[in-house]
Amino acid sequence: FRRVLFRSFKKDFTYSGQKVTGFSGDGERKIKRNKNLVIPDETPDGKPLLVVGIDAFRNLNAGYDIETVKIPDTVVEIEDYAFQFNEIAEVTLPRELKTLGMGVFMMSNVNKVIFNEKLEYIDQACFFDSDLGEVKLPATVNTIMNAAFRKAGITKLTFAPNSKLKIIENLGLADNKLTTIDLPKGIEKIGNQAFGNNKAGQGNKFTEINVPASLKSIGFQAFLNNPGVPKYNAVVIHTPEGKKQS
């Protein structure tokens, strides 16, 4: 069977300047029948669409249950909770995207993300409660905020060469299934419990980790409740100055 897309028109949405803010009445009726959303790349006055607004397509008792979404490559920011609580299994981030807001895909059953090469900032709980498997972050990402990838089902995390990542905030990658991690060379801060509770079962090698000289701070219990080294009952952190327990 061929997937039928939501045949969208500009009148199916509401706008504020170059931001889409949600569905119009017509759009709401359509999405309840056809769960495959295509967002227009222009506003009604012909300007490029730049932002998907706060709560724009949030499915909080709304009956949207969006299954696929095509976001135009013109979009540079997706604001807080824009697609929360939907059924979006796979998402391709738009080419020009720089900022992902809080809870954008939170609890939306996402299991695959194709990242763009301009993304810089991933806000709190953006992918909370997903099932992403292997994740490859582009070099442009500089900040992963609190719980951005918490409980996201990540089994392997790869940072692109020349990664600009500086900050992983509290619980940023906690409660996943990582077996090991290779931190990028320029990272400066790892927050509290940032990698806590990564239990992948048998074969988990999350026992020791090397951190680069760029690292300025490691938060409280950053690697709590990982397999660790039995002798210390903790992950051993190797720094350029020596080693210490997490």
Side-chain angles (χ1 to χ4, degrees):
F1 292 94
R2 186 165 61 90
R3 177 186 296 161
V4 179
L5 294 175
F6 177 106
R7 189 180 178 189
S8 61
F9 298 93
K10 294 173 186 176
K11 67 182 180 64
D12 293 327
F13 304 91
T14 56
Y15 302 86
S16 175
Q18 290 175 266
K19 177 192 299 187
V20 62
T21 57
F23 289 116
S24 66
D26 285 347
E28 283 199 348
R29 285 188 287 273
K30 283 186 179 182
I31 200 63
K32 289 176 182 179
R33 298 193 304 269
N34 187 330
K35 307 299 183 181
N36 304 298
L37 174 62
V38 178
I39 301 172
D41 58 3
E42 290 185 345
T43 63
D45 57 358
K47 294 180 180 178
L49 188 74
L50 299 180
V51 181
V52 179
I54 292 175
D55 295 341
F57 306 106
R58 190 185 193 200
N59 187 35
L60 184 60
N61 302 318
Y64 300 157
D65 302 319
I66 298 166
E67 295 176 1
T68 68
V69 59
K70 187 177 188 302
I71 307 167
D73 282 334
T74 54
V75 168
V76 297
E77 180 177 3
I78 302 175
E79 294 183 342
D80 301 349
Y81 309 110
F83 298 101
Q84 188 185 22
F85 299 137
N86 281 287
E87 301 291 334
I88 304 168
E90 181 176 326
V91 61
T92 298
L93 298 180
R95 182 186 62 229
E96 300 299 320
L97 186 69
K98 292 185 177 181
T99 301
L100 277 169
M102 288 192 293
V104 170
F105 296 104
M106 181 180 180
M107 301 178 74
S108 285
N109 294 315
V110 177
N111 58 45
K112 183 177 181 181
V113 181
I114 299 172
F115 288 91
N116 64 315
E117 295 298 324
K118 294 186 178 182
L119 183 64
E120 297 175 358
Y121 184 88
I122 304 173
D123 210 342
Q124 299 179 41
C126 186
F127 293 99
F128 177 81
D129 201 6
S130 301
D131 192 17
L132 301 182
E134 294 191 13
V135 170
K136 296 180 180 179
L137 285 179
T140 50
V141 173
N142 57 53
T143 305
I144 295 173
M145 286 298 292
N146 305 58
F149 289 99
R150 187 180 186 186
K151 199 180 176 184
I154 300 174
T155 57
K156 183 178 180 181
L157 178 63
T158 304
F159 300 101
N162 302 314
S163 172
K164 296 179 181 178
L165 185 66
K166 301 294 184 186
I167 298 170
I168 302 174
E169 281 290 3
N170 302 343
L171 298 165
L173 285 147
D175 298 295
N176 282 291
K177 300 175 183 178
L178 293 169
T179 59
T180 187
I181 189 77
D182 292 317
L183 293 168
K185 291 182 179 179
I187 194 162
E188 296 178 356
K189 178 184 178 182
I190 297 174
N192 300 339
Q193 297 186 30
F195 290 93
N197 201 36
N198 272 281
K199 292 186 174 180
Q202 241 178 349
N204 195 334
K205 298 178 182 178
F206 212 143
T207 56
E208 302 186 41
I209 187 168
N210 296 314
V211 298
S214 60
L215 189 66
K216 297 176 181 178
S217 67
I218 301 177
F220 181 64
Q221 297 181 331
F223 300 95
L224 177 71
N225 209 19
N226 290 299
V229 175
K231 178 180 177 182
Y232 304 110
N233 194 29
V235 174
V236 172
I237 300 169
H238 295 270
T239 70
E241 295 80 24
K243 68 179 182 180
K244 64 178 180 178
Q245 301 164 35
S246 68

